[in-house]
């Protein structure tokens, strides 16, 4: 019987490497395009306003990409709301967190995403198509500094913000982006 381990192991490594790599990162793009989407969260201070990347110039901003009908997305967005409230209580009013719903989730139930949540929640559309133009995956959080420059991207799928270390890591990323 022939030993195929020499073929399988490199193949599995390549498969793993490519399945874990990001589709897009700062080094592979020239800039993140501005966009204009309406805040559909009636609990938000920005409700009904058109928001885009340039809207928060002079402030650090972060954009969470979720599906309003998925429980894990609702959980992460709820945790981001708690984190945002803590930042405000600590005097960090110049840090904003905004959520963007995927085009394919426009008809999903909105109530779970916005329950007790005052963060802006924007609905992506075919005209702006932010999810595709920014190359994001579900539960990506992209952070920009006060000049609107890319700071970092992190996917929150495996990051439970109920855990203190994870919560503090994300909080520190947001504060560091402000100070950048």
């Amino acid at each position: 019987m022939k030993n195929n381990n020499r073929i399988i192991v490199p193949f599995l490594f390549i498969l793993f490497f490519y399945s874990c790599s990001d589709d897009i990162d700062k080094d592979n793009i020239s800039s993140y395009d501005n966009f204009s989407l309406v805040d559909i969260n009636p609990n938000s201070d920005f409700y009904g306003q058109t928001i885009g990347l340039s809207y928060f110039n002079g402030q650090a901003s972060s954009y969470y990409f979720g599906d309003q009908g998925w429980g894990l997305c609702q959980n992460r967005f709820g945790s981001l709301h708690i984190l945002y409230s803590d930042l405000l209580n600590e005097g960090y009013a110049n840090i904003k967190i905004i959520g963007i719903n995927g085009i394919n989730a426009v008809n999903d139930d909105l109530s779970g995403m916005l329950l007790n949540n005052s963060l802006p929640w924007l609905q992506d559309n075919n005209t702006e198509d932010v999810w595709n133009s920014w190359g994001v995956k579900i539960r990506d959080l992209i952070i920009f500094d006060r000049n609107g420059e890319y700071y970092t991207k992190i996917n929150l799928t495996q990051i439970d913000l109920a855990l203190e270390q994870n919560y503090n890591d994300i909080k520190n990323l947001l504060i560091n982006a402000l100070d950048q």
Side-chain angles (χ1 to χ4, degrees):
M1 179 172 206
K2 189 175 179 180
N3 184 347
N4 290 327
N5 287 342
R6 285 178 274 178
I7 296 171
I8 292 173
V9 172
F11 174 77
L12 291 175
F13 173 78
I14 292 168
L15 181 64
F16 175 79
F17 177 80
Y18 282 105
S19 68
C20 293
S21 65
D22 285 338
D23 293 335
I24 190 169
D25 61 38
K26 183 181 179 206
D27 297 327
N28 293 331
I29 60 169
S30 58
S31 68
Y32 284 89
D33 294 330
N34 194 23
F35 60 86
S36 295
L37 297 172
V38 176
D39 180 6
I40 60 172
N41 183 358
N43 304 315
S44 167
D45 291 339
F46 302 96
Y47 177 63
Q49 295 181 38
T50 301
I51 295 176
L53 180 59
S54 62
Y55 191 89
F56 296 106
N57 281 343
Q59 303 174 64
S61 61
S62 60
Y63 299 85
Y64 172 74
F65 292 84
D67 179 325
Q68 64 197 26
W70 289 20
L72 186 57
C73 292
Q74 295 169 5
N75 172 277
R76 297 302 189 260
F77 197 56
S79 295
L80 288 170
H81 178 259
I82 294 168
L83 190 149
Y84 178 70
S85 296
D86 286 349
L87 287 168
L88 285 177
N89 290 334
E90 294 173 21
Y92 291 103
N94 286 338
I95 297 174
K96 301 298 181 202
I97 301 173
I98 301 95
I100 301 179
N101 193 42
I103 294 170
N104 61 338
V106 68
N107 295 319
D108 290 356
D109 182 25
L110 183 61
S111 61
M113 187 60 81
L114 304 183
L115 183 65
N116 300 317
N117 195 321
S118 63
L119 295 177
W121 185 249
L122 314 179
Q123 177 59 59
D124 201 2
N125 58 48
N126 289 322
T127 302
E128 297 297 326
D129 201 10
V130 180
W131 278 59
N132 282 326
S133 67
W134 284 19
V136 298
K137 297 175 186 171
I138 195 161
R139 291 179 285 280
D140 274 352
L141 180 69
I142 301 180
I143 302 172
F144 295 87
D145 68 16
R146 68 174 61 238
N147 299 312
E149 297 294 322
Y150 173 91
Y151 184 73
T152 194
K153 176 172 81 171
I154 187 165
N155 188 281
L156 299 180
T157 299
Q158 301 296 323
I159 299 175
D160 183 355
L161 297 177
L163 299 175
E164 184 177 3
Q165 182 63 50
N166 294 342
Y167 181 90
N168 289 331
D169 288 347
I170 299 299
K171 183 177 176 183
N172 288 330
L173 281 173
L174 292 167
I175 292 168
N176 291 337
L178 179 65
D179 294 335
Q180 191 66 8

